[in-house]
Amino acid sequence: MTREQIEDAGRPDQAAPVQLAGVSKRFGRGRGRVTALDGVTLSFPAGSFTAVLGASGSGKSTLLQCAAGLERPSSGTVRLCGADLARLSDRQQARLRRQRIGFVFQELNLVPELTVGENIALPLRLGHRRVDRSGIERAAARVGLTPGQMRRLPSELSGGQQQRTAIARALAVRPEVIFADEPTGSLDPHTAQGVLRLLRRTADGTTVVIVTHDPQVVRFCDRAVFLGAGRVDSIVDAPEPGQVAARLHALGERANGRDA
Amino acid sequence: MSGWVLAGMRRNPGPVIGTVVAAATAATLTVAAVSVGTSHSPAPLGRLTGADVVVAGDTLLHVTVGRGAGADPESAPLPAYRGVPAGLARELARVPGAAKTTRETGFPGGTARPGTVDLIAVTADPGVSPGTLAHRIRDALPGGAGYTIATGAARGGLADPNLAIERANGQALGGAVIPFLLMAALFALAATTALSVNLRQRRFALLRAMGATRGQVRRAVLAEQAMLAVAGGLAGYLPGAALGAAGVRALVAHGMLPPGSTASPSPWLALFACAINLPVCVLSGLVAARRAARTSPAQVVREVNYERRRAHPVRVLLGLVAVASVVALNVISLHQSGPGVQAALALPLLLAGMAACALLSPVLVRAVAAAARPLRAAGPTARLALAAIRALPRRTASAVVPVAMAVGMIGAVAFSNTSIAHAADTQSARAVTAGAVLTSSRPAGSGLEPALLARAGSLPGVRAVAGVSSLQIAVTDPDLEYLGGAAISGGPLDRALNLGVESGHLNELRNGQIAVSAIEASSGVLGVHLGSRVTVYLPDGTPYTATVSAIYARSLALGDVLIPASVAAGHTGTPPGYGQILVDGAHPAQLAAVASAYPGVHVAGRQVYSAQVRQNNAQNGFGDLLILGVIAALAAVTMANTLAVATFERRRHVRLLAQVGATRRQLAGMFGWQALFVTVVGIAAGVAVCAGALAAINRAVTGSPVPYVPAGPAALIVATVAALATGTIMASLRAMSRSRA
């Protein structure tokens, strides 16, 4: 069942680790100015597993970047793990990212010159934390990577294995929030299902935000947030792929109609 | 963090190879230049082998430069012996421990004055060491400071005073190259470093997203640059030592270093090269690292590695400042008439021009790409190439800069040489108006006896004779330095010579008079006017104070200072005589008859004079050629290096185009257009850079800002640079498509 509850979502949830209030993001200036996000107010409750869906150009990637502190919003406030990002220095933001946040991107997740093991340990090393080999191997084992694969370079792994490495790296710091931007975008459906199942299983208790355009992803999610033209269109609890596909189609039609 | 930096370099050396090559090239040239500069020249002892102690007049000229509080003692080796009184030998024989004294004369550069000898050789009694004897001699000599007393290997230095000067000149050549090298190295390293960091922007964005602070990214880049600088410095040592040895051999072969000179590059030079590389790498790395650290972490999820299209206002501002300083330096060189000042301006001018070119190159690339829009009609490959250039002006600019640098540096050195040689040619062709010239095939510069001048002058119909011998004259202008000049006798001089007298008269030059070139006379140099009193120093150190009786324009024919031959006689280190005798109005047959009485003397036309000037210049020219070769090599390596890296960087672009169906021929076509663009813009910018520097250099030497640019060498430089640039780009493309297959 679809339940329109935009007003409801806008209500501040003080416990939620990710909160956006009136966040807008504009790129460029003059005639080339593009509004990617237009006054988005959203919160992602602790331990929730949310998919952010929308057509290309709906602003879903920008939403993730602003929420994660990779991009500064043009207006509005973002609270991440209880801190107002605008009040944090660049250095404090970097520290926040490496200690409490995990990232999984579509591709180019891994530093190609570092081995799988070194990639997993990267955020720990950046934080000058002690890296014990068994901890890394445990993190790798949870995503199904063997100790023998620790010394391989990313280019020697399959696409699915690379994404598993990225998940292991995100988990290694025991983050409060994991942001994933099209984590299965370059994988075949079967491998994609495996990676998502893994993420769902291992991220138990962690808040996960996945940006995607793939309706199949929502099978693992508690909630789906639909974006259209930089605004929150609707929020659906316990979403199902068929219903989500129809919704995405409708959103796409609307966007095309506006373009024409 | 540095552990990963090393791991990264080991596993994927691609982006940093360019920096290592540039650093190693700079180190090679630095080591080579320093080992030429510090080359060791053994002085053969000759007939002084048997002497334990050698006593000569002080071999250095000591002069106090400046007045009052700014007074500064300076010294320079003398080209001729001062001579010691022959009677001194008897006094030395009375020194305890002296066994035998021998008066020695007839050395090259030896004195010819009666009552003096070149030096005195002393042998020690058995049991007396040469050092002890030398001490006793010093104590015994009246005013011991006025003598040079040598034992051991130092004796060789007294066997030929010219060797010391030759050595100093050859070594100075090494010194002259160093600023050029450092400048070129700075630009080359800065270019490759910036490129290698830009190549990895996405990597840095990923690190930033993972939580690396700006400081961590900056430190990683700096650590990497420092390691590359040291690696390049060490790698450059052996090739540099080999190049230095080759350079010394070449200088010896051209008589610019004494025979037997060897380069002895100390292993410490490797550290020295590292020490020079380090600040260059770290400084240019710092700029690139700042940019890398500012990389937005969001860039990791962006599809394209986009770059800011508009140049940063600070960059444009700095570029305009550099252009303004080129203009200002040229204006200064217009009003500061002094060759020293103007020549000193050449290097800053070249530097400012290069800086302007490097800073404004993205703007230039954008402007030219916009102007070249009609070329899109040439087809889809041209359209693609122009689009790529317009989208990534900074990448294109990083390929344009080394091409401009190569053209600018090679052009500046090559055409300042041709301009000077050409001016010397034309000046000396105009300077001699006498109908005939007597020359001697004997090697010494004074092969014509004075009696010949008198006999030629007394031939019927002769209107003028002039005996000319070139010599080194030391002046303080304001530093102590040697000038090429001439000793002249005969008359009326203005019938045999036309030196373009600007003030005064040059029909004769009497004892107590001196003629000075306009360039040398100008303020800031000697700073003298007609009637001024000036002191110059003859080759054996004797001061000559005289009144300026003429100031002339054509300094490249006979030199900057003319003195009467009677004054120079006995002080030049050569037997009395002339290098050339100019005769005007003589009957050729009668003149030939006179000449035939002297072995080795023959009669020639006035052209032979300019031929001899050219031959003298050829020796200086070789040194310049050597510098030119080194600079050209550096510029070529840098250019090929940067272009290869810049082309390889477009791998993804090429793969994408191939995927959407571009044929290999179309890809080659696109890169061909881009290579053409880079070459044309680079050469144009390089010509502009070197034109600014050449104007000042040329004005310093000839008084005119227009350089002499022979079409052949100019075309050769342009063609070589164009071929190398295009060849590198196309070869990199081929290598790239092959590695893909």
Side-chain angles (χ1 to χ4, degrees), chain A residues 10-32:
Chain A
R11 208 178 54 214
D13 174 357
Q14 292 305 330
V18 185
Q19 300 166 34
L20 293 90
V23 171
S24 295
K25 177 68 184 177
R26 292 176 285 275
F27 292 104
R29 53 179 66 171
R31 285 203 307 159

Side-chain angles (χ1 to χ4, degrees), chain A residues 27 65 70-71 90-91 94-95 97-98 103 105 107-115 118 122-123 125-128 153 169 181, chain B residues 1 4 7-9 11-12 200 202-203 206-216 219 293 296-298 300-303 652:
Chain A
F27 292 104
Q65 286 163 26
L70 298 181
E71 196 85 77
D90 193 81
R91 195 188 171 85
R95 197 177 299 146
R97 279 202 293 276
R98 72 184 174 218
F103 286 98
F105 300 112
E107 52 183 0
L108 300 156
N109 255 310
L110 309 174
V111 179
E113 296 92 50
L114 299 182
T115 63
E118 285 165 342
L122 185 58
R125 283 255 168 80
L126 286 170
H128 304 289
L153 289 179
R169 180 190 59 200
D181 189 0
Chain B
M1 195 102 178
W4 310 336
M9 284 195 285
R11 291 175 194 148
N12 178 19
R200 289 172 290 164
R202 206 161 182 147
R203 185 88 28 88
L206 179 63
L207 286 176
R208 293 276 287 132
M210 291 301 109
T213 59
R214 287 183 184 171
Q216 282 178 318
R219 282 195 296 278
S296 159
V300 67
V301 280
R302 287 200 189 116
E303 267 308 298
R652 273 179 67 168

